[in-house]
Every structure is written in structure tokens, then in C-alpha cells.
Amino acid sequence: MILELNKQRVTSDYIELYQLQTPEGWLYFTTHETSVYMRDKETPFTNRLYGSLPIEFTGWEQKSEGTYARPAITFANILTTFADALGDFDNDDLVGLKIVRRKTLAIHLDNVAGDAHGAAAAPTEFPVQSYIIDRIASMDSISVTFELASPFDVSGVMIPGRFILPNSCCWSYQGAATDTPFSSSAGACIWKLAADNNGFTAFFDARNSLFASTAVHTLSSIGGSAAAANDFFRTAKALTRVNVNGSYTTTGLGDKAYDYWQAAAAGTTAFRRMRPYSTYNGATTYYTFLEGDLYNDVVLSGGTLWVCIKSHAGSQTPALGSKYWKRADICGKKLSSCAIRYKSIAVTNATGATVSVLEDTTKVLQYGGFPASRRYGFTG
């Protein structure tokens, strides 16, 4: 490229390429009049198609002192090309994500005559620029403009960046799960992602409510006042379901129109909340309720529990960043949240295998998430 630029006359077009991160992956655009192909900068140098879109990049400057420049990038949307590419996501969903600006000459694009590099080689290009989308500067029916920030812009960042809060665990939940590679571990929480902790499955939400599988427990057979310790029972609850089209339904909700409980002892005077979940099915319609996510549909997918946050007619596989799902198995960051997991006991109740309301007080917490608790010999 240096030889090309040092010629008296550069005959190859200047090309700008943009990689835009979304909650579910990456989008690829170019300012060129037609779509082009360009290899990734990192191995295995995958050949990507960059779609043509009017884009304006302004405000960039390079300096060694002072504040970092905050450039702006504008995407045209007259033909809804940009909005269509985002799909179910909104412009707001892009805030905090990354955008990469790449520059090269047309002669160095893939599948273009004169390219001196093989298909498996690194691309020839100018230095790559990476930014974080900081905010939406303006938006109308014609275009949307984002203000960008440098990843090294630490204005306003406080040191230390880690805060110690009273009565709260500071470790990332499942950050050091023993069924994940050591190279990706963080913190000291070793609660497994696969949920086969203590030799059996145990899921809890941030309120320490137990999740129970509908594949194991038949909801219609859950008993009432005669429930023994660890048995499940239910009480009627008036709920309002939010349908896919935004309308509401208050009748004919079947097994959904209940609160579910687990008895701590015989009778119903002591109990804890139970939440049922099913295995994800792409052909099933999942719903939310006006009364909150405590009643929304919960599914098991990829070894993780997910709670529905937007009613939809299936075909939306649960994943982080999804507009339809969020994780359901979340730690409450309290001593009780640790104890209910690490000290859980497997039992069998009237409808199948589950987790006991009681805890194994002979076990200790697996790490020093609450160092101050050692002096008290916490056991339950």
C-alpha cells in the first residue's frame, strides 16, 4: 500500500468500511457505491460482504495530549436499510457497543484483480480505529447520528473501579464455574453453569425462589393444605397476560393463573416461593404478565434458565442481549443466596426430585466472598 500511495497519481479508489456491533453479532457496511468484500483483520481472515450505505464520519482527530476527540457517525435511513439491518433492535440498543472503522484502497479488496495477497492472508489496510457508541446525538426519519468515544477515554472513571458494598458479595456469579475453561474464569464463584451442582440440578432466582421443572413435576397434581414438607402446592392468582399483539387476556390462563409454593413443613404455614420452568421450544408462544417477571414464562435453554421479557410467537432462541429473554437464574448477592446454593440438599417430594427447603449446615461457603463472616462462623 505504501508503494501505491507514493505514486504521483493514485488510481485505486479509497474505501471506508464499518463494522457495527449489535447485541446479537456484527453488521458490515461500506461507503462505497456498491457492496464489497474484505477479509477480517484477525485469523482466519474470513471474507465478509460489506453492504453499501451512505455513512458520514466526522470530528476525528489524532493528538498526543488533551482530551480525546469524540467523533460522530451518521447512518442514512431514507430507504430503511439501516433499520432493516438492525431487525428487532432499536438504536438505543447500540449504546455501549463497539464500532470499527477500516480504510483501504479498492485494489486491496477481496476478489478484486490486482490483489497481491492470498485468500488466507491478512488484509492490506490503513490502521484500524475502534470506538464505543456513547450516545445518540440525533435521530429522525432520514438518519441517525451517534456520538463515539475512544475506548481509552477514562474521563470521570474512579479508582479503584471495584466497590465493596456492605452485606453484598463482590464476586461475579458463576465467574469461576468449574465447568468452564480456566482461561476465561473471573472471581471465585465456582457454582457450575450446567446446574449439576452438589450432584443434582438446583436453580434459584435473585429472590432465592426455587425453580422446578414442569417435565418432572405435574402442575395440575400439586396439592393444597395437605402438602408435606418439601411438597409443592399452589394458590389462585388473578393475572393479566400480555399477548403478542399487545392485547390483554385475563381468563383461560390454565396453570399460569397461580402462585406456586414449596412447603417448609407439613401444612401450609411455612413455605417458600417456587417458579415452574419448561424446556425451550421454538414453536411455542411465550408470554409476559402485567404483574411482573415473577409470573413470566421461564424456559431451560443451553443449560441456562431464561425468563421471557417480551411476548413472542417462538423462533427467538434465548441469548444474552436478546429483546425477548433475560437470565432467570441470578444470584441475589447475599449470604443467603450463597447458602441456598452451596448447601442445597436433594429430596423427592410428592411429584418428583427437587431441592429441599432445609440446608446442609455441615457445608461451608466455597470461597471468601464475605471475609467478615468468618468471625461469626456462619453456617446457615
Side-chain angles (χ1 to χ4, degrees):
M1 181 176 289
I2 295 177
L3 293 176
E4 188 74 21
L5 294 175
N6 283 328
K7 292 180 179 179
Q8 290 185 343
R9 181 170 178 263
V10 178
T11 58
S12 183
D13 289 342
Y14 171 75
I15 304 294
E16 286 192 6
L17 308 165
Y18 293 92
Q19 299 174 192
L20 176 65
Q21 185 182 25
T22 74
E24 287 187 346
W26 292 84
L27 298 176
Y28 302 87
F29 300 110
T30 178
T31 57
H32 195 56
E33 59 184 356
T34 61
S35 298
V36 299
Y37 283 91
M38 182 67 170
R39 295 186 298 278
D40 287 347
K41 186 175 180 63
E42 296 82 16
T43 183
F45 311 118
T46 303
N47 194 18
R48 306 280 184 188
L49 175 64
Y50 288 74
S52 180
L53 182 70
I55 299 174
E56 182 181 36
F57 188 87
T58 59
W60 175 80
E61 61 179 333
Q62 187 171 357
K63 54 185 180 179
S64 59
E65 59 182 17
T67 59
Y68 286 94
R70 285 187 163 248
I73 185 169
T74 301
F75 294 93
N77 196 38
I78 297 177
L79 300 178
T80 71
T81 304
F82 184 67
D84 292 343
L86 290 182
D88 292 322
F89 297 104
D90 300 322
N91 295 322
D92 290 328
D93 297 321
L94 302 180
V95 175
L97 300 183
K98 183 186 292 186
I99 188 166
V100 178
R101 185 191 187 202
R102 306 176 68 188
K103 299 156 292 179
T104 189
L105 298 179
I107 195 173
H108 296 296
L109 295 173
D110 227 19
N111 299 332
V112 175
D115 190 351
H117 299 281
T124 301
E125 60 184 321
F126 295 101
V128 174
Q129 298 168 285
S130 295
Y131 297 93
I132 302 299
I133 298 177
D134 188 62
R135 68 183 184 93
I136 298 175
S138 64
M139 179 173 58
D140 54 36
S141 59
I142 298 178
S143 65
V144 57
T145 300
F146 297 99
E147 182 179 298
L148 309 180
S150 168
F152 304 104
D153 188 350
V154 294
S155 175
V157 175
M158 298 179 63
I159 297 177
R162 177 179 174 185
F163 293 91
I164 299 177
L165 302 176
N167 305 317
S168 295
C169 176
C170 58
W171 297 121
S172 174
Y173 179 49
Q174 297 180 320
T178 55
D179 54 352
T180 58
F182 178 78
S183 58
S184 61
S185 65
C189 180
I190 62 174
W191 190 251
K192 293 182 182 179
L193 299 173
D196 60 341
N197 296 276
N198 297 337
F200 55 91
T201 298
F203 288 118
F204 302 90
D205 66 10
R207 308 176 185 89
N208 293 342
S209 300
L210 172 69
F211 288 102
S213 170
T214 57
V216 176
H217 305 280
T218 304
L219 298 184
S220 60
S221 67
I222 292 178
S225 59
N230 296 312
D231 278 357
F232 297 143
F233 65 100
R234 64 187 185 183
T235 54
K237 175 74 173 182
L239 296 175
T240 301
R241 188 181 73 191
V242 180
N243 299 316
V244 176
N245 62 4
S247 62
Y248 299 141
T249 298
T250 58
T251 60
L253 301 181
D255 290 330
K256 289 308 230 174
Y258 293 91
D259 280 313
Y260 291 91
W261 313 95
Q262 183 180 27
T268 58
T269 57
F271 52 83
R272 72 174 173 189
R273 184 177 291 275
M274 183 275 281
R275 300 175 63 183
Y277 71 88
S278 60
T279 301
Y280 173 74
N281 186 328
T284 300
T285 299
Y286 294 102
Y287 297 101
T288 61
F289 290 80
L290 286 183
E291 289 72 19
D293 64 3
L294 184 64
Y295 300 97
N296 295 354
D297 287 338
V298 179
V299 299
L300 176 66
S301 177
T304 302
L305 286 189
W306 306 86
V307 58
C308 182
I309 56 177
K310 182 178 181 180
S311 299
H312 61 281
S315 301
Q316 297 293 338
T317 303
L320 292 177
S322 171
K323 294 186 65 174
Y324 300 92
W325 301 98
K326 68 178 182 179
R327 280 200 62 175
D329 174 32
I330 297 294
C331 179
K333 314 306 290 180
K334 303 294 183 182
L335 279 171
S336 57
S337 302
C338 291
I340 204 171
R341 289 169 169 80
Y342 288 106
K343 300 184 178 186
S344 55
I345 304 172
V347 297
T348 300
N349 64 14
T351 55
T354 187
V355 178
S356 174
V357 174
L358 301 178
E359 297 172 358
D360 185 348
T361 57
T362 64
K363 294 182 178 179
V364 297
L365 300 186
Q366 303 298 303
Y367 55 88
F370 300 85
S373 67
R374 295 172 183 168
R375 71 182 68 178
Y376 301 107
F378 178 79
T379 60

